[in-house]
Amino acid sequence: MGKQIAGGSFGPPAGHIVWDWNGTLFHDIDAVIHATNAAFAELGLAPITLERYRALYCVPIPKFYQRLMGRLPTETEWNVMDEVFHRHYTHHSAACRLAEGVEPLLAGWQDAGRSQSILSMYGHEELVPLVRQFGIAERFVRVEGRVGPSGGSKAEHMVRHLAALERSSGVAASQVVVIGDAADDAVAALAAGARAVLYTGGSHGRASLEGVGAPVVDSLAEAVRVASAG
């Protein structure tokens, strides 16, 4: 079982899961590495391995680039890298699929009478048709992607997402568990009054996640078990 929050139990069983998309439900880490290295090549930076990416990745994204470059990128450099990243990501992600076992996990949670939603920092206009394409849209009461510039934290978006859930479905933040692959998912959950379970199959390795204070698991099935058990 994943590491529990220091000093006590995880809390009551979740009534609602907010799923992250990229690196969590959508297994796109190979596309991310391809796109990141294409962006790095624009500035003459050496390519990065998956292991190094998972060790250094953080948000906001310019701080991740700072860890690799030794300085923050200039505004011009950031704009170039961001455009190149998204262009190459779009190309490579076309071959990516849902993470292993996602469909029965989503169906089982819904069939048990509990609700779930998606909040992603992937662009909203791209996210919604992709979720529909995989045939899972009906599993969620709300699907939200990023509106506005890329590269920032999910926290303010999570606060708005949970406020909208409470208005529309009566779901209180204390009933919510966020499942994601990044330390920022736990930061966002905390900002919104929810809890988080972090998954090692995406952007972060276990060592990068274990200092956050949320349970860390190696499969989405285990993440759902932690959320269910409290």
Side-chain angles (χ1 to χ4, degrees):
M1 184 63 68
K3 176 183 175 182
Q4 298 297 307
I5 294 177
S9 66
F10 181 54
H16 182 96
I17 290 174
V18 176
W19 293 95
D20 174 55
W21 179 251
N22 302 94
T24 304
L25 292 178
F26 188 49
H27 187 66
D28 64 347
I29 191 64
D30 291 338
V32 168
I33 297 299
H34 280 296
T36 299
N37 284 331
F40 287 175
E42 288 292 314
L43 298 191
L45 297 173
I48 190 171
T49 63
L50 172 60
E51 291 73 24
R52 184 162 168 77
Y53 181 96
R54 283 177 164 164
L56 296 179
Y57 178 77
C58 65
V59 296
I61 303 299
K63 291 186 71 174
F64 169 52
Y65 290 158
Q66 181 182 27
R67 291 181 172 185
L68 294 158
M69 299 170 65
R71 61 174 176 81
L72 282 169
T74 66
E75 183 177 356
T76 298
E77 288 171 335
W78 162 253
N79 289 334
V80 168
M81 295 173 82
D82 194 46
E83 187 279 326
V84 171
F85 175 90
H86 284 96
R87 175 157 44 86
H88 283 264
Y89 176 83
T90 298
H91 172 72
H92 288 287
S93 66
C96 296
R97 297 293 178 261
L98 296 177
E100 183 179 357
V102 161
E103 292 98 329
L105 282 176
L106 298 178
W109 189 264
Q110 185 181 39
D111 291 346
R114 294 171 289 198
S115 58
Q116 54 200 332
S117 59
I118 292 174
L119 177 63
S120 173
M121 295 301 282
Y122 192 43
H124 184 76
E125 297 302 318
E126 294 79 25
L127 173 66
V128 171
L130 189 55
V131 174
R132 289 177 181 151
Q133 174 187 316
F134 282 112
I136 56 174
E138 73 279 2
R139 302 296 183 193
F140 306 102
V141 297
R142 192 173 190 87
V143 175
E144 281 191 297
R146 171 186 48 79
V147 177
S150 63
S153 173
K154 186 181 277 189
E156 63 183 275
H157 302 273
M158 186 67 72
V159 170
R160 289 197 297 267
H161 186 80
L162 294 198
L165 281 173
E166 186 162 18
R167 288 194 303 270
S168 64
S169 306
V171 176
S174 60
Q175 300 173 278
V176 173
V177 170
V178 176
I179 297 178
D181 68 314
D184 191 52
D185 289 302
V187 171
L190 180 64
R195 293 164 289 152
V197 179
L198 300 177
Y199 161 62
T200 63
S203 62
H204 286 40
R206 176 173 283 275
S208 299
L209 295 175
E210 286 189 329
V212 178
V216 178
V217 300
D218 296 321
S219 72
L220 294 181
E222 188 178 0
V224 171
R225 284 196 295 272
V226 173
S228 300

